[in-house]
Amino acid sequence: MPVTIHDVAQRAQVSASTVSRALSASHLVRGTTRDRVLAAAKELGYQPNPAARSLITGRTGNIGIVVPDLNNPFYTGVLRGVQARARQSGYAVFFADGEEDPAAEEALVRAMARQVDGVVVCAPFASDAQLRSLAAVTSLTLLNRRLRDIPAALMDSAGGMRQVVDHLAALGHHRCAYLNGPNNAWSNRERRRGLRAAAARAQLSVVEFGPFEPKFEGGVQAADLALADGVTAIIAYNDLMALGVLSRLADRGVAVPQEMSVVGFDNLLYAAVCAPPLTTVAMPMEAGGRAAVDLLLSGIDGAGDGAGSHRELTTNLIVRATTAAARSHSVSDDPRPMAGRGSHG
Amino acid sequence: MPVTIHDVAQRAQVSASTVSRALSASHLVRGTTRDRVLAAAKELGYQPNPAARSLITGRTGNIGIVVPDLNNPFYTGVLRGVQARARQSGYAVFFADGEEDPAAEEALVRAMARQVDGVVVCAPFASDAQLRSLAAVTSLTLLNRRLRDIPAALMDSAGGMRQVVDHLAALGHHRCAYLNGPNNAWSNRERRRGLRAAAARAQLSVVEFGPFEPKFEGGVQAADLALADGVTAIIAYNDLMALGVLSRLADRGVAVPQEMSVVGFDNLLYAAVCAPPLTTVAMPMEAGGRAAVDLLLSGIDGAGDGAGSHRELTTNLIVRATTAAARSHSVSDDPRPMAGRGSHG
DNA sequence: CCGGCGCTTGCAAACGTTTGTGGCAGAGAG
DNA sequence: CTCTCTGCCACAAACGTTTGCAAGCGCCGG
């Protein structure tokens, strides 16, 4: 039923191979015949059969992406970037949600392997060994995970954390809490690493909690712990957790930012529009997705040098309304009578 | 390099066709040889080449989905449902973001058409004619768009709106605003239709504004208009807009729900966790995605009767903290000279 | 005038799988 | 014992495309 290359060939009075060449390696056919072929193809609405093409070329024109949790807007951001960049190069994208399960991640990549030219694995939970074994079965690019000999797009979480620390120190904070995300998340390890280094330099003492689920509920849970410790600032692993913290603090009548500063990571839409607007580190989500596809494609089309190429993306602290000067550290002389909910700014 | 069916055949001492049958129509081969083949396939780690298979069968084992805006968590919800249900039946899913552009939607579906067995188009912006022409090129299923002869999963927006109206009427509201989403969105038309019918019955007068962009900013913009009209309740097209309304009302010092009730649609995560938690109509996002794939697959695998099958999903009002009894109606004794936007009868 | 070269094109093989057809063997019936 | 039928399997064609190879042809230089 669908129109094949032979239909076009017949209409253009040439052989199928000429049609094929006219459509791909156009410099191999004479100008006039090429025009004839193109016209015929257009009139018939010819669309090459990707299965047949891929069978012989060994390439599919598809890439895959697997993310840990589609409910987190961070990943939908990189998804947008991935899809836009892929489309720009004529690639279609397979998508799958690993649901934060290493085994599922691996299974999904393996299932995709036969029909894609490569897959970008986003902030994977899988182990190094699992990832390496996956790299053997298809071309791999990582996002926010560093592994020797596997290309990756990396967001500078440590640098973002340094900015956070400088910001808090400048506001006179001396003791803050860090709410850990998942331990096996590279981003969390980077943030912690950056935090420790910068905090030591800035003479900021840090107490860590967690790990917690990197979600709203995790933040709610963590808030009470941090509050009990008497810190003046809370740095959450990501915005979702920070929003949970904000919500819990409001419930407990702790005024933000007067009594407690809060900062998150990611710069989700909701960080900008919640009350009060959240101070956070902007992660380049779409740019990260595009960069990952860049690397993947250059590893596929290109000379294949890219085995060890990593791309770093910068991050920026965005100061909004949840950070302020540390309260003159007299926790005791503040009676704090009010139990109301945090007011809108 | 990858292992083919012939490698398996050689190892199992049978022909390639026997391997093929052993793996698919297993009842056509003797038990002992089948076991031998299966063992050989397993030892070699054989994975059939989907391109070759699809070339001969004409089926791909893939489906596609195109959504209007990946930044809206509503669509990521249905994406999850789609992917889960597809995976359950062994289908992989292509994904694309139409970016609310009818032309892009159509182009994306056409691009997918050759490599999928069907595509679910999510709340499409494309015209009826465009959709029909797409249905000719591949198997189509719609989500939240009703069109004769094209299967669809539909969420009962009108029913949800009826619940909203009953709720507001019971709280003593007499005049409310509806903030329209995009005019060409079926969901918006349904919500408006349900609203008009229910409002007439409940003696609730309604003033409409918009259409607005179905996003946070649209809600911010709309809030001022509704406020100027003196309504006691605002029904937003979706939660994103409702959150924008909430934010703007807070900025303007209007207490919610004491001075103004607000209700949204969708029941996003953020509706539950914002302050105050939003009263909203829960849309079955994942279930909708699953239902759409159900329909699509039954149209593909099944007898193909499904041409006209529509599946309705129920919706439920979730009462939280943004709705309360109407303020003692000062509306009547308040002259309020300002000119509102177009209202209806 | 002839040999060779470059440009253009057709022929045919190949990619890995599914599936229709036919053959062989064994069993059951006459 | 022979005929037929059935179960099991191999052979080969086909799906639509790309690509190596060779052939036709005109042109140029010798």
Side-chain angles (χ1 to χ4, degrees):
Chain A
M1 195 59 190
V3 30
T4 79
I5 204 174
H6 293 100
D7 301 329
V8 179
Q10 186 176 355
R11 186 178 239 275
Q13 305 276 36
V14 294
S15 75
S17 43
T18 300
V19 174
S20 174
R21 278 187 263 259
L23 295 179
S24 49
S26 56
H27 62 99
L28 286 179
V29 326
R30 184 167 31 181
T32 64
T33 54
R34 171 162 35 92
D35 295 344
R36 198 147 35 94
V37 168
L38 262 39
K42 185 164 198 172
E43 289 168 26
L44 296 177
Y46 170 68
Q47 296 276 95
N49 181 324
R53 168 177 291 175
S54 128
L55 186 55
I56 180 107
T57 62
R59 298 261 304 271
T60 65
N62 302 326
I63 65 173
I65 175 171
V66 3
V67 299
D69 176 18
L70 200 56
N71 277 340
N72 186 335
F74 175 83
Y75 298 112
T76 69
V78 341
L79 209 47
R80 284 174 62 97
V82 163
Q83 196 247 343
R85 177 66 184 81
R87 194 164 139 66
Q88 173 186 330
S89 287
Y91 281 77
V93 8
F94 275 111
F95 141 84
D97 184 344
E99 295 177 352
E100 299 192 346
D101 175 7
E105 269 177 5
E106 182 175 358
L108 287 168
V109 174
R110 282 189 195 282
M112 283 179 171
R114 293 302 307 248
Q115 4 194 14
V116 299
D117 296 336
V119 7
V120 358
V121 190
C122 207
F125 278 64
S127 70
D128 287 8
Q130 280 176 310
L131 290 175
R132 286 193 197 287
S133 92
L134 287 178
V137 62
T138 188
S139 187
L140 225 61
T141 290
L142 305 178
L143 183 81
N144 278 355
R145 172 82 168 252
R146 185 188 288 268
L147 206 48
R148 249 181 74 79
D149 300 329
I150 300 186
L154 302 167
M155 304 179 187
D156 184 16
S157 279
M161 190 58 98
R162 185 178 38 68
Q163 298 176 52
V164 171
V165 168
D166 290 348
H167 174 61
L168 292 177
L171 288 175
H173 291 268
H174 295 105
R175 181 173 176 78
C176 75
Y178 176 61
L179 313 182
N180 277 280
N183 262 336
N184 41 357
W186 177 85
S187 292
N188 186 58
R189 294 196 301 268
E190 280 294 291
R191 282 165 204 182
R192 191 167 42 191
R193 186 176 66 77
L195 173 60
R196 288 176 180 174
R201 222 174 5 82
Q203 312 236 352
L204 179 71
S205 87
V206 174
V207 49
E208 293 191 21
F209 299 96
F212 302 97
E213 279 227 311
K215 304 181 178 174
F216 185 87
E217 294 77 13
V220 172
Q221 172 191 356
D224 291 330
L225 304 184
L227 209 46
D229 196 88
V231 300
T232 60
I234 298 176
I235 307 173
Y237 166 67
N238 68 8
D239 281 356
L240 254 26
M241 286 180 64
L243 292 174
V245 169
L246 249 33
S247 166
R248 184 59 175 173
L249 292 181
D251 284 349
R252 293 196 47 185
V254 179
V256 173
Q258 295 82 3
E259 299 178 65
M260 181 74 81
S261 289
V262 176
V263 13
F265 273 78
D266 285 351
N267 192 28
L268 306 183
L269 170 63
Y270 301 96
V273 304
C274 66
L278 182 67
T279 294
T280 188
V281 176
M283 305 288 279
M285 303 175 282
E286 295 206 19
R290 282 197 303 271
V293 176
D294 271 346
L295 289 169
L296 189 61
L297 261 37
S298 81
I300 293 170
D301 303 327
D305 69 326
S309 54
H310 290 193
R311 187 119 105 222
E312 296 246 2
L313 287 79
T314 64
T315 59
N316 292 300
L317 177 69
I318 303 201
V319 177
R320 294 207 183 92
T322 57
T323 46
R327 65 169 187 264
S328 50
H329 59 88
S330 47
V331 181
S332 44
D333 56 61
D334 182 1
R336 185 175 326 169
M338 45 199 31
R341 173 163 280 152
S343 67
H344 307 279
Chain B
M1 194 61 189
V3 30
T4 78
I5 204 173
H6 293 99
D7 301 328
V8 178
Q10 186 176 355
R11 188 178 236 275
Q13 305 275 36
V14 295
S15 75
S17 44
T18 301
V19 174
S20 173
R21 278 186 257 261
L23 295 178
S24 50
S26 58
H27 61 100
L28 287 178
V29 324
R30 182 168 35 181
T32 65
T33 52
R34 170 161 37 92
D35 294 345
R36 198 148 35 92
V37 168
L38 262 40
K42 186 165 198 171
E43 289 167 27
L44 296 177
Y46 169 69
Q47 296 276 97
N49 181 322
R53 169 178 290 174
S54 128
L55 186 55
I56 181 105
T57 64
R59 299 261 303 271
T60 64
N62 302 326
I63 65 173
I65 174 169
V66 4
V67 299
D69 176 17
L70 200 56
N71 277 340
N72 186 337
F74 175 83
Y75 297 112
T76 71
V78 340
L79 208 48
R80 284 174 62 97
V82 163
Q83 195 246 343
R85 177 65 185 82
R87 193 165 141 64
Q88 173 186 332
S89 289
Y91 281 77
V93 8
F94 275 111
F95 141 81
D97 184 343
E99 295 177 352
E100 300 193 344
D101 175 5
E105 269 177 4
E106 181 173 1
L108 287 169
V109 174
R110 283 190 195 282
M112 283 179 172
R114 292 303 305 247
Q115 7 194 12
V116 299
D117 296 335
V119 6
V120 359
V121 190
C122 210
F125 278 64
S127 69
D128 287 9
Q130 280 176 308
L131 290 174
R132 286 194 197 286
S133 93
L134 288 178
V137 62
T138 187
S139 186
L140 226 61
T141 290
L142 307 178
L143 182 81
N144 279 355
R145 173 83 170 251
R146 183 187 290 268
L147 205 49
R148 248 181 77 81
D149 300 329
I150 299 185
L154 302 167
M155 303 180 187
D156 183 17
S157 279
M161 189 58 99
R162 186 178 36 70
Q163 298 175 53
V164 170
V165 168
D166 289 348
H167 174 61
L168 291 178
L171 288 175
H173 292 268
H174 293 106
R175 180 172 176 78
C176 75
Y178 176 62
L179 313 181
N180 277 280
N183 262 338
N184 41 356
W186 177 85
S187 291
N188 186 59
R189 294 197 301 267
E190 280 294 290
R191 283 166 203 180
R192 190 167 42 192
R193 186 176 65 79
L195 174 59
R196 288 176 180 175
R201 223 176 3 85
Q203 313 235 351
L204 179 71
S205 88
V206 174
V207 49
E208 293 192 23
F209 299 95
F212 303 97
E213 278 226 313
K215 305 181 178 176
F216 185 87
E217 294 76 13
V220 172
Q221 172 191 356
D224 290 331
L225 303 185
L227 210 46
D229 195 89
V231 298
T232 60
I234 298 176
I235 306 173
Y237 166 66
N238 67 9
D239 281 356
L240 254 26
M241 286 180 63
L243 290 175
V245 168
L246 247 33
S247 167
R248 183 60 176 171
L249 292 181
D251 285 349
R252 293 196 48 183
V254 178
V256 173
Q258 295 81 5
E259 298 179 66
M260 182 72 82
S261 289
V262 176
V263 11
F265 272 79
D266 284 351
N267 191 29
L268 306 183
L269 170 64
Y270 302 96
V273 304
C274 65
L278 182 67
T279 294
T280 187
V281 176
M283 304 289 278
M285 303 175 281
E286 296 206 18
R290 282 197 304 272
V293 176
D294 271 346
L295 289 169
L296 189 61
L297 261 38
S298 81
I300 292 170
D301 303 325
D305 67 327
S309 55
H310 290 192
R311 186 119 105 222
E312 296 245 1
L313 287 80
T314 64
T315 60
N316 291 301
L317 177 69
I318 303 205
V319 177
R320 295 206 183 92
T322 57
T323 45
R327 67 170 187 265
S328 51
H329 53 88
S330 49
V331 179
S332 46
D333 44 60
D334 178 0
R336 188 157 322 247
M338 52 224 352
R341 286 279 292 274
S343 64
H344 83 282

